[in-house]
Short mmCIF file of all heavy atoms in Angstrom, two decimals:
data_model
loop_
_atom_site.label_atom_id
_atom_site.label_comp_id
_atom_site.label_asym_id
_atom_site.label_seq_id
_atom_site.Cartn_x
_atom_site.Cartn_y
_atom_site.Cartn_z
N VAL R 875 -10.49 -6.68 -0.25
CA VAL R 875 -9.46 -6.14 -1.13
C VAL R 875 -8.11 -6.33 -0.45
O VAL R 875 -7.98 -6.13 0.76
CB VAL R 875 -9.70 -4.64 -1.44
CG1 VAL R 875 -8.51 -4.03 -2.18
CG2 VAL R 875 -10.98 -4.48 -2.26
N ALA R 876 -7.13 -6.72 -1.24
CA ALA R 876 -5.75 -6.84 -0.77
C ALA R 876 -4.91 -5.76 -1.42
O ALA R 876 -5.30 -5.18 -2.43
CB ALA R 876 -5.19 -8.22 -1.11
N THR R 877 -3.74 -5.52 -0.86
CA THR R 877 -2.75 -4.74 -1.59
C THR R 877 -1.72 -5.70 -2.16
O THR R 877 -1.54 -6.82 -1.67
CB THR R 877 -2.04 -3.71 -0.69
OG1 THR R 877 -1.36 -4.39 0.38
CG2 THR R 877 -3.01 -2.70 -0.15
N SER R 878 -1.07 -5.28 -3.20
CA SER R 878 0.10 -5.97 -3.76
C SER R 878 1.31 -5.15 -3.38
O SER R 878 1.37 -3.95 -3.65
CB SER R 878 -0.02 -6.05 -5.29
OG SER R 878 1.24 -6.23 -5.89
N SER R 879 2.29 -5.79 -2.73
CA SER R 879 3.48 -5.03 -2.32
C SER R 879 4.18 -4.42 -3.51
O SER R 879 4.63 -3.27 -3.47
CB SER R 879 4.44 -5.92 -1.53
OG SER R 879 4.96 -6.96 -2.34
N ALA R 880 4.26 -5.19 -4.59
CA ALA R 880 4.93 -4.69 -5.79
C ALA R 880 4.16 -3.51 -6.38
O ALA R 880 4.74 -2.48 -6.72
CB ALA R 880 5.09 -5.79 -6.82
N ALA R 881 2.84 -3.65 -6.47
CA ALA R 881 2.04 -2.59 -7.08
C ALA R 881 2.09 -1.32 -6.25
O ALA R 881 2.19 -0.21 -6.79
CB ALA R 881 0.60 -3.06 -7.25
N VAL R 882 2.01 -1.44 -4.92
CA VAL R 882 2.10 -0.25 -4.06
C VAL R 882 3.48 0.39 -4.20
O VAL R 882 3.60 1.61 -4.31
CB VAL R 882 1.81 -0.62 -2.59
CG1 VAL R 882 2.09 0.57 -1.68
CG2 VAL R 882 0.36 -1.07 -2.43
N ALA R 883 4.52 -0.45 -4.21
CA ALA R 883 5.88 0.10 -4.36
C ALA R 883 6.03 0.82 -5.69
O ALA R 883 6.53 1.96 -5.74
CB ALA R 883 6.91 -1.02 -4.23
N TRP R 884 5.61 0.18 -6.77
CA TRP R 884 5.73 0.80 -8.10
C TRP R 884 4.94 2.10 -8.18
O TRP R 884 5.41 3.08 -8.76
CB TRP R 884 5.24 -0.18 -9.16
CG TRP R 884 6.06 -1.44 -9.27
CD1 TRP R 884 7.36 -1.62 -8.85
CD2 TRP R 884 5.64 -2.68 -9.82
NE1 TRP R 884 7.77 -2.91 -9.11
CE2 TRP R 884 6.74 -3.58 -9.71
CE3 TRP R 884 4.47 -3.14 -10.40
CZ2 TRP R 884 6.67 -4.90 -10.15
CZ3 TRP R 884 4.39 -4.46 -10.83
CH2 TRP R 884 5.49 -5.32 -10.72
N ALA R 885 3.73 2.11 -7.61
CA ALA R 885 2.89 3.31 -7.66
C ALA R 885 3.53 4.48 -6.92
O ALA R 885 3.22 5.64 -7.21
CB ALA R 885 1.52 3.01 -7.06
N HIS R 886 4.45 4.18 -6.01
CA HIS R 886 5.13 5.24 -5.25
C HIS R 886 6.58 5.42 -5.67
O HIS R 886 7.35 6.12 -5.00
CB HIS R 886 5.05 4.93 -3.75
CG HIS R 886 3.67 5.10 -3.19
ND1 HIS R 886 2.72 4.10 -3.20
CD2 HIS R 886 3.06 6.18 -2.63
CE1 HIS R 886 1.60 4.54 -2.67
NE2 HIS R 886 1.77 5.79 -2.31
N GLY R 887 6.96 4.79 -6.79
CA GLY R 887 8.29 5.03 -7.34
C GLY R 887 9.41 4.21 -6.73
O GLY R 887 10.58 4.60 -6.80
N TYR R 888 9.06 3.04 -6.15
CA TYR R 888 10.06 2.15 -5.58
C TYR R 888 10.00 0.78 -6.24
O TYR R 888 8.96 0.37 -6.75
CB TYR R 888 9.84 1.97 -4.07
CG TYR R 888 10.06 3.23 -3.26
CD1 TYR R 888 9.01 4.12 -3.03
CD2 TYR R 888 11.31 3.53 -2.74
CE1 TYR R 888 9.20 5.28 -2.28
CE2 TYR R 888 11.51 4.69 -1.99
CZ TYR R 888 10.46 5.56 -1.77
OH TYR R 888 10.66 6.70 -1.04
N ALA R 889 11.10 0.07 -6.19
CA ALA R 889 11.12 -1.32 -6.63
C ALA R 889 10.50 -2.20 -5.54
O ALA R 889 10.45 -1.82 -4.37
CB ALA R 889 12.55 -1.77 -6.91
N ASP R 890 10.02 -3.36 -5.94
CA ASP R 890 9.55 -4.34 -4.97
C ASP R 890 10.75 -4.97 -4.28
O ASP R 890 11.83 -5.06 -4.85
CB ASP R 890 8.73 -5.41 -5.70
CG ASP R 890 7.99 -6.33 -4.77
OD1 ASP R 890 7.68 -5.91 -3.63
OD2 ASP R 890 7.70 -7.48 -5.16
N GLY R 891 10.56 -5.42 -3.04
CA GLY R 891 11.65 -6.12 -2.38
C GLY R 891 12.13 -5.48 -1.10
O GLY R 891 13.32 -5.24 -0.91
N ASP R 892 11.20 -5.15 -0.19
CA ASP R 892 11.55 -4.62 1.13
C ASP R 892 12.26 -3.27 1.09
O ASP R 892 13.07 -2.98 1.98
CB ASP R 892 12.39 -5.63 1.91
CG ASP R 892 11.56 -6.77 2.50
OD1 ASP R 892 10.45 -6.50 2.97
OD2 ASP R 892 12.03 -7.92 2.47
N VAL R 893 12.01 -2.46 0.07
CA VAL R 893 12.65 -1.14 0.01
C VAL R 893 11.65 0.00 0.17
O VAL R 893 12.04 1.14 0.42
CB VAL R 893 13.46 -0.94 -1.29
CG1 VAL R 893 14.60 -1.93 -1.37
CG2 VAL R 893 12.56 -1.06 -2.52
N LEU R 894 10.36 -0.28 0.05
CA LEU R 894 9.35 0.77 0.24
C LEU R 894 9.41 1.24 1.69
O LEU R 894 9.39 0.43 2.62
CB LEU R 894 7.95 0.20 -0.04
CG LEU R 894 6.77 1.17 0.15
CD1 LEU R 894 6.75 2.21 -0.95
CD2 LEU R 894 5.45 0.39 0.19
N PRO R 895 9.51 2.55 1.93
CA PRO R 895 9.50 3.04 3.31
C PRO R 895 8.21 2.63 4.02
O PRO R 895 7.11 2.76 3.46
CB PRO R 895 9.58 4.56 3.15
CG PRO R 895 10.23 4.77 1.82
CD PRO R 895 9.73 3.65 0.96
N VAL R 896 8.34 2.13 5.23
CA VAL R 896 7.17 1.67 5.96
C VAL R 896 6.16 2.80 6.14
O VAL R 896 4.94 2.58 6.08
CB VAL R 896 7.58 1.07 7.31
CG1 VAL R 896 6.35 0.74 8.16
CG2 VAL R 896 8.41 -0.20 7.10
N ALA R 897 6.64 4.01 6.36
CA ALA R 897 5.72 5.15 6.52
C ALA R 897 4.87 5.36 5.27
O ALA R 897 3.69 5.72 5.36
CB ALA R 897 6.51 6.41 6.84
N THR R 898 5.46 5.13 4.09
CA THR R 898 4.71 5.26 2.83
C THR R 898 3.66 4.17 2.73
O THR R 898 2.52 4.42 2.32
CB THR R 898 5.67 5.19 1.63
OG1 THR R 898 6.65 6.22 1.76
CG2 THR R 898 4.93 5.35 0.33
N LEU R 899 4.03 2.96 3.12
CA LEU R 899 3.07 1.85 3.12
C LEU R 899 1.90 2.17 4.04
O LEU R 899 0.73 2.01 3.64
CB LEU R 899 3.76 0.57 3.59
CG LEU R 899 2.83 -0.59 3.94
CD1 LEU R 899 2.19 -1.16 2.68
CD2 LEU R 899 3.56 -1.68 4.72
N ILE R 900 2.18 2.60 5.26
CA ILE R 900 1.11 2.86 6.23
C ILE R 900 0.19 3.96 5.73
O ILE R 900 -1.04 3.88 5.87
CB ILE R 900 1.71 3.23 7.60
CG1 ILE R 900 2.58 2.07 8.13
CG2 ILE R 900 0.61 3.57 8.59
CD1 ILE R 900 1.90 0.74 8.19
N SER R 901 0.75 5.01 5.13
CA SER R 901 -0.07 6.08 4.58
C SER R 901 -0.98 5.56 3.48
O SER R 901 -2.18 5.90 3.43
CB SER R 901 0.84 7.19 4.04
OG SER R 901 0.07 8.21 3.43
N ALA R 902 -0.43 4.71 2.60
CA ALA R 902 -1.23 4.15 1.51
C ALA R 902 -2.35 3.28 2.05
O ALA R 902 -3.50 3.33 1.57
CB ALA R 902 -0.34 3.34 0.57
N LEU R 903 -2.07 2.48 3.07
CA LEU R 903 -3.10 1.61 3.66
C LEU R 903 -4.21 2.43 4.29
O LEU R 903 -5.39 2.10 4.15
CB LEU R 903 -2.47 0.69 4.70
CG LEU R 903 -1.52 -0.38 4.19
CD1 LEU R 903 -0.90 -1.14 5.37
CD2 LEU R 903 -2.22 -1.35 3.25
N ALA R 904 -3.84 3.50 4.99
CA ALA R 904 -4.86 4.35 5.62
C ALA R 904 -5.76 5.00 4.56
O ALA R 904 -6.98 5.10 4.75
CB ALA R 904 -4.19 5.41 6.48
N GLU R 905 -5.17 5.43 3.46
CA GLU R 905 -5.96 6.03 2.39
C GLU R 905 -6.92 5.02 1.78
O GLU R 905 -8.07 5.34 1.47
CB GLU R 905 -5.02 6.58 1.31
CG GLU R 905 -4.22 7.80 1.75
CD GLU R 905 -3.10 8.15 0.79
OE1 GLU R 905 -2.90 7.39 -0.19
OE2 GLU R 905 -2.43 9.17 1.02
N ILE R 906 -6.44 3.79 1.62
CA ILE R 906 -7.29 2.73 1.05
C ILE R 906 -8.40 2.36 2.03
O ILE R 906 -9.58 2.29 1.65
CB ILE R 906 -6.44 1.50 0.71
CG1 ILE R 906 -5.50 1.81 -0.47
CG2 ILE R 906 -7.32 0.30 0.38
CD1 ILE R 906 -4.45 0.75 -0.73
N ALA R 907 -8.05 2.14 3.29
CA ALA R 907 -9.04 1.72 4.28
C ALA R 907 -10.15 2.75 4.44
O ALA R 907 -11.31 2.41 4.70
CB ALA R 907 -8.35 1.46 5.61
N ARG R 908 -9.81 4.03 4.27
CA ARG R 908 -10.78 5.11 4.45
C ARG R 908 -11.94 5.00 3.47
O ARG R 908 -13.07 5.40 3.79
CB ARG R 908 -10.08 6.46 4.29
CG ARG R 908 -10.97 7.67 4.50
CD ARG R 908 -10.18 8.96 4.41
NE ARG R 908 -9.54 9.13 3.12
CZ ARG R 908 -10.16 9.63 2.03
NH1 ARG R 908 -11.43 9.99 2.10
NH2 ARG R 908 -9.51 9.77 0.90
N VAL R 909 -11.71 4.45 2.28
CA VAL R 909 -12.76 4.42 1.26
C VAL R 909 -13.36 3.03 1.06
O VAL R 909 -14.25 2.86 0.24
CB VAL R 909 -12.22 4.93 -0.10
CG1 VAL R 909 -11.67 6.34 0.04
CG2 VAL R 909 -11.16 4.01 -0.69
N LEU R 910 -12.89 2.05 1.83
CA LEU R 910 -13.34 0.67 1.62
C LEU R 910 -14.48 0.29 2.57
O LEU R 910 -14.35 0.46 3.79
CB LEU R 910 -12.19 -0.31 1.83
CG LEU R 910 -11.29 -0.65 0.65
CD1 LEU R 910 -10.35 -1.78 1.04
CD2 LEU R 910 -12.08 -1.03 -0.58
N PRO R 911 -15.54 -0.30 2.04
CA PRO R 911 -16.59 -0.84 2.90
C PRO R 911 -16.38 -2.32 3.22
O PRO R 911 -17.21 -2.94 3.88
CB PRO R 911 -17.85 -0.64 2.05
CG PRO R 911 -17.37 -0.83 0.65
CD PRO R 911 -15.94 -0.28 0.62
N VAL R 912 -15.30 -2.91 2.71
CA VAL R 912 -15.02 -4.34 2.87
C VAL R 912 -13.65 -4.52 3.54
O VAL R 912 -12.86 -3.57 3.62
CB VAL R 912 -15.05 -5.06 1.50
CG1 VAL R 912 -16.44 -4.96 0.87
CG2 VAL R 912 -13.99 -4.51 0.56
N PRO R 913 -13.33 -5.73 4.01
CA PRO R 913 -12.05 -5.94 4.68
C PRO R 913 -10.86 -5.66 3.76
O PRO R 913 -10.89 -5.91 2.56
CB PRO R 913 -12.10 -7.42 5.07
CG PRO R 913 -13.55 -7.75 5.16
CD PRO R 913 -14.21 -6.93 4.09
N LEU R 914 -9.79 -5.18 4.41
CA LEU R 914 -8.53 -4.90 3.72
C LEU R 914 -7.43 -5.77 4.32
O LEU R 914 -7.28 -5.85 5.53
CB LEU R 914 -8.15 -3.43 3.89
CG LEU R 914 -6.74 -3.01 3.43
CD1 LEU R 914 -6.59 -3.17 1.92
CD2 LEU R 914 -6.44 -1.58 3.86
N THR R 915 -6.66 -6.42 3.45
CA THR R 915 -5.48 -7.16 3.88
C THR R 915 -4.26 -6.58 3.17
O THR R 915 -4.33 -6.21 1.99
CB THR R 915 -5.62 -8.67 3.63
OG1 THR R 915 -4.45 -9.35 4.14
CG2 THR R 915 -5.80 -8.99 2.16
N ALA R 916 -3.17 -6.47 3.90
CA ALA R 916 -1.98 -5.75 3.42
C ALA R 916 -0.82 -6.70 3.17
O ALA R 916 -0.49 -7.52 4.03
CB ALA R 916 -1.56 -4.69 4.43
#
């Protein structure tokens, strides 16, 4: 499973384009990785 930068940004109320706070990204990745039995790419 991959993430989409635009989809993650939109889901958290930000536009795509290097404006999503990195801390928000890292939190989202950790939440995703916790439930995944397969590789994750960000």
Side-chain angles (χ1 to χ4, degrees):
V875 172
T877 60
S878 158
S879 65
V882 172
W884 296 339
H886 289 87
Y888 294 90
D890 190 26
D892 282 321
V893 297
L894 179 72
V896 173
T898 302
L899 168 71
I900 300 306
S901 177
L903 292 176
E905 291 168 355
I906 291 169
R908 182 176 60 83
V909 302
L910 272 188
V912 297
L914 170 66
T915 183

